[in-house]
């Protein structure tokens, strides 16, 4: 149910005064000033859920050199989690000096995210809560079409337990919650506002679970004495080839799946599908979508830098008397939407004999097309979006030259980002 205090603007009136959105315009020019190291949360102790994941590894890459002490809230036994965190940092390009900081600055605590007190005893839970200055909640189950109850348990109930941790801490730690730009749900057009949303249905169970989790954060933050920041990243990507067994971004996983799925070649697939080869020997797979659809793709390192700059503004503000209760929301998005056709062209360059066609209607899908819908849900769920995102927060950082505007997501970058790992070829 939408928050009555935060009305949704008319989607047909996208350009409100003072609001800056992402859109199809040209990417911004280079930033004139430097992008110095981010001192957000320097010298403090921060609890991080999902610390071994893709985004968290890039956040820690910048946090550890600032002297930040990290309590990694993990599912695995501590020794295995520390090894996974070290691998994730190395895969993210962390220099040896940063990797060596893990042993000195990171402590792993094994938890069960959706259990009361995170599965810890009362004493352990209180000691943990009292030891941190901030809580960064990155952990989430990201299966778009996963079981609805499993998604709710991890993403909603898990968030509820993280909120309990932040509420119990005697230092009144600030909560940083990683949501997603896709809490916009089934909003196909217009501008997604940079505040709590009025969702009008959802395209996937994942979106609904993240929407429910974010609503909990907004409700929690309305209590006096509590403070929270919500980050809504779009699809985060990287042109770095991930190390084996290290976390990968969504589109790298998609490319690997596609390569494995189609590894036998077009002739073998034609035998099990009603889709014929065309005159050039290519196999056409029709995908339900709009020819003018777009997706917001953002380089993960730019996302991490922007999030930490925004975190710095919270942690260095001493006078909060004029700050209204509730969570501050920031879209972590690229200023320019990427056409879906450009992504499909990059996927076709990975598999030259494949042709992906966006169609508005597909009355008789082949068995292969149905399988791709299921197997490639990371992409096929969002082939009809034409929406943009308000990004006033990031534009202000760019105006003040605190971060550089992200580079365009061009064909060379997409080709590198979608190169499947060697094990999938």
């Amino acid at each position: 149910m939408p928050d009555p205090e935060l009305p949704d603007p008319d989607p047909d009136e996208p350009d409100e005064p003072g609001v800056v959105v992402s859109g199809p315009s040209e990417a911004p020019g280079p930033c004139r000033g430097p992008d110095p190291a981010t001192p957000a949360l320097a010298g403090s102790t921060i609890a991080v859920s999902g610390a071994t994941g893709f985004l968290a590894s890039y956040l820690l890459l910048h946090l550890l050199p600032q002297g930040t002490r990290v309590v990694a809230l993990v599912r695995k036994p501590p020794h295995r989690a520390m090894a996974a965190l070290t691998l994730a940092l190395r895969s993210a390009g962390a220099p040896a000096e940063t990797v060596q900081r893990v042993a000195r600055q990171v402590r792993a605590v094994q938890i069960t995210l959706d259990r009361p007190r995170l599965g810890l005893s009362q004493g352990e839970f209180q000691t943990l809560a009292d030891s941190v200055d901030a809580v960064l909640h990155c952990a989430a189950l990201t299966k778009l079409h996963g079981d609805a109850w499993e998604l709710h348990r991890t993403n909603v109930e898990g968030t509820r337990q993280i909120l309990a941790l932040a509420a119990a801490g005697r230092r009144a730690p600030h909560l940083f919650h990683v949501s997603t730009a896709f809490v916009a749900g089934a909003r196909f057009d217009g501008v997604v506002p940079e505040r709590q949303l009025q969702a009008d249905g959802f395209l996937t169970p994942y979106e609904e679970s993240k929407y429910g989790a974010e609503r909990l954060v907004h409700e929690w933050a309305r209590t006096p004495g509590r403070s929270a920041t919500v980050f809504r990243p779009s699809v985060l990507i990287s042109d770095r080839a991930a190390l084996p067994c290290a976390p990968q971004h969504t589109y790298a996983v998609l490319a690997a799946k596609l390569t494995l799925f189609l590894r036998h070649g077009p002739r073998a697939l034609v035998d099990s599908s009603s889709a014929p080869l065309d005159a050039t020997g290519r196999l056409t797979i029709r995908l339900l979508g709009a020819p003018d659809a777009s997706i917001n793709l953002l380089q993960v390192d730019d996302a991490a830098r922007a999030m930490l700059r925004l975190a710095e503004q919270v942690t260095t503000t001493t006078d909060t008397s004029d700050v209204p209760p509730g969570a501050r929301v920031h879209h972590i998005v690229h200023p320019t939407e990427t056409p879906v056709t450009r992504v499909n062209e990059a996927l076709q360059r990975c598999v030259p004999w494949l042709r992906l066609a966006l169609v508005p209607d597909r009355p008789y899908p082949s068995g292969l097309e149905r399988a791709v819908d299921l197997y490639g849900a990371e992409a096929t769920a969002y082939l009809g979006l034409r929406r943009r995102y308000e990004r006033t927060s990031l534009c202000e950082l760019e105006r003040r030259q605190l971060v550089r505007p992200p580079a365009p997501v061009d064909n060379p970058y997409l080709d590198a980002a979608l190169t499947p790992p060697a094990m999938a070829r």
Side-chain angles (χ1 to χ4, degrees), residues 195-325:
R195 56 182 180 270
Q196 193 171 0
L197 291 175
Q198 175 182 342
D200 185 19
F202 299 95
L203 298 176
T204 69
Y206 165 73
E207 296 171 349
E208 186 170 8
S209 70
K210 292 296 286 183
Y211 178 85
E214 188 180 318
R215 282 191 58 82
L216 284 181
V217 174
H218 284 280
E219 293 164 3
W220 179 89
R222 291 194 186 99
T223 298
R226 296 176 180 174
S227 58
T229 299
V230 173
F231 297 121
R232 289 188 189 143
S234 58
V235 180
L236 302 182
I237 60 175
S238 173
D239 61 350
R240 291 185 59 85
L243 296 176
C245 300
Q248 300 183 55
H249 61 89
T250 298
Y251 273 34
V253 173
L254 174 65
K257 280 184 176 183
L258 186 65
T259 302
L260 287 170
F261 186 63
L262 303 176
R263 65 186 180 276
H264 297 300
R267 294 290 176 188
L269 289 171
V270 167
D271 292 340
S272 60
S273 170
S274 59
L277 300 181
D278 66 15
T280 64
R282 294 193 303 174
L283 180 66
T284 296
I285 296 179
R286 298 168 299 166
L287 302 174
L288 284 173
D292 59 344
S294 60
I295 191 79
N296 194 284
L297 306 178
L298 178 64
Q299 299 90 333
V300 65
D301 197 56
D302 288 300
R305 289 177 183 274
M307 290 168 65
L308 293 177
R309 279 300 190 196
L310 291 165
E312 176 190 352
Q313 293 182 347
V314 173
T315 56
T316 57
T317 299
T318 57
D319 181 12
T320 59
S321 58
D322 62 343
V323 177

Side-chain angles (χ1 to χ4, degrees), residues 318-381:
T318 57
D319 181 12
T320 59
S321 58
D322 62 343
V323 177
R328 303 170 184 85
V329 178
H330 307 289
H331 280 150
I332 309 300
V333 298
H334 200 282
T336 306
E337 308 296 315
T338 298
V340 168
T341 52
R342 186 183 300 169
V343 178
N344 286 350
E345 288 164 1
L347 287 169
Q348 289 168 172
R349 288 192 290 273
C350 292
V351 186
W353 51 264
L354 177 66
R355 178 176 175 267
L356 299 174
L358 286 174
V359 296
D361 186 38
R362 192 184 58 190
Y364 301 106
S366 67
L368 178 60
E369 288 167 340
R370 288 194 298 268
V372 168
D373 287 345
L374 178 66
Y375 206 56
E378 296 91 341
T380 58

Side-chain angles (χ1 to χ4, degrees), residues 6 33 65 85 89 93 103 163 211 267 279 327 341 410:
L6 296 168
L85 191 152
L89 277 171
L163 293 174
Y211 178 85
R267 294 290 176 188
T341 52
D410 55 16

